[in-house]
Amino acid sequence: MLGDNPADPRPRLDTPASVLYATPGELAGALPGADVLFVWEFTVGDALHQAWPAADALRWVHTSSAGVDRLTFPEMVASDVVLTNSRGVFDAPIAEYVLAMVLAFAKDLPGTLRQQNDREWRHRETETIAGKRAVVVGGGPIGAATSALLNAAGLRSHLVGRTARPGVHGIEELDGLLPDTDYLVLAAPLTEQTRGMVNASLLARLPARARLVNVGRGPLVVESDLVEALTEGRLAGAALDVFEREPLPEDSPLWALPNVIVSPHMSGDAIGWRDSLAELFTENLDRYRAGQTLRNVVDKHSGYVRSDTAEPAGSRA
């Protein structure tokens, strides 16, 4: 099991297994002979790429994240190693985070907190979210949960996925939705097709009243283009939980912009999330040992789980 901080809580297996815990620097020494790797701390996934030559018996890698972009390096993709993710653990918490950001903007909670800090009593009006249009990019379970919750709160939410299907717009329809969008929510995986998708051209198609909420991956957005749009008043605001570089550098202009809410990649981390991650992995480990289908098998070429149909444990992806 790969983690960055040995003090972090980690799953304990109920069934006998030979388990080694490794930090990124220790991974190359721990991999030889191992057939299963659990990447507990996804932010150190790059360590697997560096240690890959030592993976002489590896058959299955599981990551504690929904996104797998740090693990789909060319050698992994070309290999017969099965990759699974933690799809399903973060859906509700991230959907709630997005709704919280929408309400924070509509009710100007950042402004209220600034005035409270300054002991300033200044009455002002706020917005309502009822009837506003949200466009959620990302047709997977996180995007679907987010769209459903926004609809329940009174917004008109449109879900956009890679391909059109009942209840989901195809990505080719996104341009037509943007001019009347109040909240653009990014919940898509990071792939070669989605990298940099929110750039100056896309931002120019949004109305100036629109706000951006990114709970997907930082590189979905060209940050310099976003900063320019926010600074020039061509975009009303942004709530960002993910960034091109993490941690967000201290000199990033995003810290100081009054119309930006910054959070440290925590939108899915609700109390109990570690237990849920451990339960998912141990269930999959039982399936692996029994030769049954694994949950959440990732299509390594596309970078996400295409369907709920999984491959047999130990089979070649």
Side-chain angles (χ1 to χ4, degrees):
M1 296 185 186
L2 173 61
D4 195 26
N5 182 357
D8 283 344
R10 302 181 187 176
R12 297 293 182 263
L13 303 180
D14 294 330
T15 53
S18 176
V19 179
L20 294 176
Y21 295 96
T23 63
E26 299 168 340
L27 183 59
L31 268 181
D35 57 335
V36 177
L37 175 65
F38 182 9
V39 181
W40 176 251
E41 176 51 66
F42 80 94
T43 60
V44 297
D46 295 341
L48 179 57
H49 192 184
Q50 299 171 11
W52 188 255
D56 57 358
L58 200 58
R59 301 175 67 194
W60 168 37
V61 173
H62 179 80
T63 177
S64 63
S65 60
V68 297
D69 47 280
R70 292 175 182 264
L71 295 171
T72 50
F73 48 88
E75 295 88 344
M76 161 64 91
V77 173
S79 76
D80 55 6
V81 175
V82 175
L83 176 62
T84 59
N85 71 356
S86 295
R87 168 182 167 122
V89 172
F90 306 104
D91 305 355
I94 291 179
E96 292 170 357
Y97 171 94
V98 172
L99 178 58
M101 295 302 101
V102 168
L103 287 167
F105 280 129
K107 303 308 176 185
D108 191 25
L109 292 184
T112 296
L113 293 174
R114 284 193 295 268
Q115 290 179 30
Q116 178 180 346
N117 186 64
D118 295 339
R119 301 191 180 192
E120 177 185 0
W121 182 279
R122 182 167 60 86
H123 181 270
R124 64 206 188 282
E125 295 178 341
T126 62
E127 305 169 13
T128 181
I129 63 172
K132 296 294 177 66
R133 172 185 270 192
V135 173
V136 180
V137 181
I142 291 175
T146 299
S147 183
L149 188 59
L150 294 179
N151 277 325
L155 289 91
R156 296 176 293 116
S157 181
H158 301 265
L159 186 60
V160 177
R162 184 177 60 87
T163 57
R165 54 190 184 273
V168 182
H169 298 273
I171 192 64
E172 68 279 359
E173 301 176 68
L174 178 60
D175 282 356
L177 296 170
L178 293 175
D180 192 33
T181 294
D182 296 290
Y183 296 93
L184 176 62
V185 180
L186 305 181
L190 179 62
T191 67
E192 289 306 309
Q193 292 71 39
T194 60
R195 184 181 296 273
M197 64 178 296
V198 177
N199 52 25
S201 177
L202 184 146
L203 291 168
R205 294 193 289 276
L206 287 168
R209 68 177 186 275
R211 280 96 171 205
L212 173 71
V213 181
N214 188 5
V215 291
R217 283 289 186 262
L220 297 175
V221 178
V222 179
E223 281 185 10
S224 58
D225 291 350
L226 175 61
V227 169
E228 184 176 330
L230 290 164
T231 303
E232 296 180 356
R234 292 184 283 107
L235 190 69
L240 307 172
D241 188 53
V242 289
F243 303 88
E244 288 180 342
R245 288 179 56 195
E246 295 181 6
L248 184 64
E250 291 184 8
D251 61 354
S252 170
L254 292 169
W255 286 110
L257 290 175
N259 52 350
V260 173
I261 300 174
V262 169
S263 59
H265 206 142
M266 54 176 282
S267 61
D269 299 348
I271 293 171
W273 66 285
R274 291 182 178 88
D275 291 338
S276 297
L277 290 176
E279 289 168 5
L280 174 59
F281 173 70
T282 53
E283 177 190 338
N284 248 359
L285 183 60
D286 288 340
R287 289 169 178 249
Y288 177 85
R289 286 172 156 174
Q292 300 173 348
T293 57
L294 295 178
R295 290 180 56 187
N296 299 351
V297 174
V298 174
D299 182 316
K300 294 187 291 185
H301 295 279
S302 65
Y304 49 85
V305 179
R306 285 187 174 274
S307 70
D308 293 333
T309 302
E311 297 181 40
S315 69
R316 300 316 189 194

